[in-house]
Amino acid sequence: MKEIALVWYRFNLRTIDCAPLDAAVRSGLPVVPFYCFDTRYHSTLHTDWPRMGQFRAKFLMESVQDLRNTLRALGSDLYVVKGFTETEIQKLQKNSKIIAIYYPKYYTEDEVEIEQKVADLGIKMIGFDDHSLIAPKDLPFSIENSPKVFTDFRKKVEKNLKIKPEYPKPSSINTPDEYIEKTELPTLSDLGISQNLLFDSRSAVPFVGGEHEAWQRLIHYFWNTKKLSVYKETRNGLIGTDYSSKFSVYLAHGCISARSIFWQIKKYEESVETNESTYWLFFELLWRDFFFFTAMKLKGNFFKVPRNYTPKKTKIFEKWRQGETHEPFVNANMKELLYTGFMSNRGRQNVASYLVHNLKQDWYLGAMWFESQLIDYDVCSNYGNWTYVAGIGNDPRNRVFNVKRQAEMYDPDGSYQNLWLG
Ligand SMILES: Cc1cc2nc3c(=O)[nH]c(=O)nc-3n(C[C@H](O)[C@H](O)[C@H](O)COP(=O)(O)OP(=O)(O)OC[C@H]3O[C@@H](n4cnc5c(N)ncnc54)[C@H](O)[C@@H]3O)c2cc1C
């Protein structure tokens, strides 16, 4: 049987700065890049909504297709299947001897469980920390001693900052013929998406998924328009594509790495300018790392509720979900999420605070609705931010937003509310 190295793609759909791909190619073995639409992510959660709704599923599909095109151009392919990852890998073992599985590591419950099931196949597992900006090993403290408060975390890591260089994109990949052009991508309805996708021209993220598009977005935001230079002033905006980077949709699927963005910021600072805005984008990437490491530290406790907790839906919650509360600013944001799969950071903070502190509803339902709906859903950033706003995270404080005041400050002429409610 042919010996191969399997590259198990997960939330890292890229070829540039992709540690598992780089290591597998350097192993000298024939390489088979592999992606499984794992059934566990395409089920319903504890609700009647799909765990992955239409917007994210479409973006994911585009990202997988783009990765496949890139790998084909390198002489390889992406072997795409649907089912349970461990079962699908087991099927491959019938035709090939998998010497090792190269894969990115995640530390949240479901991801660890899937990894364990794959490890139980008894194949050598070679895992890489490829999701955060700072590698866990490069933190100036142990995970157990990771600060509970963001500012403490930030100050400590900034004092002793170590960011790895990017892993190069391979110039070619040696993949056995029997793994080239052998699989088809599933359709959205195969993934349980029955709704019709209607493109909303008001969308703040009218983007297509994939590594290629991620870099186009970066080139646009940094180099062509120099929006990075004014990021700090515009980041609380609500309308349009350019008030913030919108990198989250690409980071969530791993179409670009946080490291690549960091090194592009450094390049920009050297060749264009260094100012508060260029620093601030890095600062925001540290928030992403903060929630990633918090999840790594707290393991199951990160979610604050038992694994199979089923919150009860109420009419009040349903009105919030549909954007039909008594607060127009909340409604506008919830409509944007419903129709496009995106909402600004300002909006997310307000609607989350309103659900928990004003409507007194279960925060977990809100987090689950976000999980279904957001294109950029990321387990650590979503559940971390929800517990933070709800004041039950590991930095518990009263974080109540005065929604009326926020609307006056951030939507003074009501144009955002008119856009979605008018
Ligand atoms: C209740 C709630 C739920 C959220 N759920 C998610 C989620 O599922 N996925 C997600 O990526 N972000 C989430 N966020 C964080 C934030 O709202 C989004 O990252 C941001 O709006 C994405 O737009 P952007 O890429 O233009 O951000 P920018 O303002 O351009 O920021 C650049 C990058 O920094 C990171 N970042 C910025 N703010 C945060 C933050 N508060 N927490 C973590 N990372 C941050 C993101 O990776 C983002 O792409 C949530 C925030 C709240 C309040």
Side-chain angles (χ1 to χ4, degrees):
M1 270 205 290
K2 191 158 268 167
E3 296 191 335
I4 59 164
L6 194 77
V7 177
W8 171 25
Y9 272 103
R10 304 174 80 185
F11 308 102
N12 62 328
L13 302 173
R14 62 179 181 266
T15 55
I16 300 168
D17 196 28
C18 182
L21 180 66
D22 172 71
V25 170
R26 281 191 296 103
S27 76
L29 286 163
V31 172
V32 177
F34 166 90
Y35 182 79
C36 179
F37 286 89
D38 196 295
T39 308
R40 284 162 284 224
Y41 294 122
H42 301 283
S43 55
T44 50
L45 214 46
H46 312 306
T47 56
D48 0 312
W49 328 301
R51 185 169 183 181
M52 185 186 298
Q54 54 170 334
F55 299 110
R56 190 160 75 263
K58 176 175 175 286
F59 199 88
L60 168 64
M61 198 69 84
E62 291 161 354
S63 303
V64 169
Q65 180 64 60
D66 181 69
L67 176 62
R68 169 177 262 195
N69 294 345
T70 306
L71 290 167
R72 283 184 175 172
L74 295 172
S76 178
D77 200 352
L78 185 64
Y79 194 88
V80 180
V81 292
K82 180 178 157 290
F84 291 101
T85 303
E86 64 280 13
T87 316
E88 296 303 318
I89 293 180
Q90 203 168 24
K91 285 184 196 162
L92 292 184
Q93 278 181 304
K94 290 188 186 132
N95 302 320
S96 304
K97 184 166 167 38
I98 305 172
I99 300 296
I101 299 178
Y102 294 78
Y103 70 102
K105 285 187 83 67
Y106 305 100
Y107 298 93
T108 26
E109 277 181 316
D110 289 355
E111 287 64 37
V112 168
E113 193 175 298
I114 295 176
E115 178 184 327
Q116 187 54 52
K117 286 192 157 60
V118 173
D120 289 345
L121 296 172
I123 305 166
K124 185 174 174 191
M125 300 285 286
I126 305 181
F128 295 86
D129 283 305
D130 224 16
H131 194 68
S132 50
L133 175 60
I134 303 164
K137 280 191 214 102
D138 291 337
L139 287 172
F141 38 74
S142 66
I143 283 295
E144 296 69 39
N145 291 319
S146 182
K148 286 182 173 181
V149 176
F150 173 73
T151 307
D152 300 340
F153 169 85
R154 177 183 63 78
K155 285 185 179 156
K156 284 194 173 157
V157 296
E158 279 185 342
K159 225 175 177 182
N160 206 332
L161 192 65
K162 279 192 207 151
I163 314 277
K164 286 200 180 356
E166 291 164 283
Y167 293 89
K169 175 178 169 177
S171 51
S172 68
I173 302 172
N174 167 21
T175 299
D177 283 348
E178 55 266 40
Y179 290 100
I180 293 190
E181 298 198 13
K182 286 290 179 294
T183 57
E184 297 283 337
L185 258 62
T187 62
L188 284 174
S189 72
D190 291 338
L191 299 182
I193 304 293
S194 54
Q195 282 148 294
N196 280 335
L197 286 163
L198 293 176
F199 175 71
D200 193 311
S201 59
R202 297 168 293 181
S203 175
V205 285
F207 309 135
V208 174
E211 181 173 31
H212 177 77
E213 292 294 329
W215 280 93
Q216 289 307 310
R217 174 68 195 160
L218 187 141
I219 290 166
H220 167 85
Y221 195 75
F222 282 23
W223 304 105
N224 293 350
T225 62
K226 312 248 179 333
K227 295 281 181 195
L228 175 58
S229 288
V230 292
Y231 168 71
K232 189 156 185 263
E233 291 97 77
T234 60
R235 58 180 282 275
N236 280 310
L238 300 168
I239 299 176
T241 54
D242 287 353
Y243 61 81
S244 63
S245 73
K246 309 297 186 320
F247 290 155
S248 60
V249 291
Y250 295 110
L251 283 165
H253 298 269
C255 304
I256 193 167
S257 71
R259 282 187 299 253
S260 286
I261 296 173
F262 174 82
W263 290 116
Q264 288 287 318
I265 296 174
K266 292 290 136 199
K267 236 186 206 174
Y268 188 95
E269 289 182 334
E270 275 159 28
S271 60
V272 181
E273 64 176 319
T274 302
N275 65 15
E276 279 199 320
S277 286
T278 59
Y279 166 74
W280 215 261
L281 194 71
F282 160 70
F283 174 97
E284 293 298 341
L285 290 174
L286 289 184
W287 267 108
R288 179 174 176 271
D289 269 20
F290 173 67
F291 288 123
F292 180 81
F293 292 124
T294 303
M296 191 171 170
K297 174 182 175 181
L298 298 180
K299 303 191 174 78
N301 291 338
F302 178 65
F303 295 96
K304 300 289 163 197
V305 293
R307 189 101 194 255
N308 287 322
Y309 173 66
T310 312
K312 284 203 179 59
K313 274 196 275 172
T314 61
K315 283 192 181 140
I316 298 175
F317 172 78
E318 199 49 31
K319 286 200 177 293
W320 174 86
R321 185 169 84 92
Q322 299 292 341
E324 292 167 4
T325 71
H326 297 301
E327 281 299 339
F329 188 57
V330 169
N331 296 345
N333 278 288
M334 294 307 293
K335 294 278 186 213
E336 181 182 5
L337 180 65
L338 189 66
Y339 298 148
T340 72
F342 191 81
M343 188 194 292
S344 68
N345 186 52
R346 183 58 41 194
R348 293 182 205 200
Q349 289 174 317
N350 274 279
V351 301
S353 165
Y354 188 73
L355 181 76
V356 177
H357 302 297
N358 296 69
L359 298 178
K360 310 279 180 212
Q361 299 294 297
D362 191 332
W363 71 273
Y364 200 71
L365 269 173
M368 282 170 37
W369 175 237
F370 270 36
E371 172 167 357
S372 175
Q373 202 67 9
L374 282 175
I375 297 174
D376 68 15
Y377 166 73
D378 169 274
V379 55
C380 304
S381 293
N382 188 53
Y383 285 87
N385 271 291
W386 270 97
T387 52
Y388 187 84
V389 175
I392 54 163
N394 63 358
D395 175 17
R397 263 181 265 177
N398 206 11
R399 294 192 174 86
V400 186
F401 284 71
N402 179 335
V403 173
K404 282 198 199 312
R405 178 87 193 95
Q406 290 269 313
E408 283 162 16
M409 280 167 71
Y410 295 102
D411 189 27
D413 62 0
S415 49
Y416 176 72
Q417 289 162 83
N418 279 337
L419 183 67
W420 295 101
L421 306 175

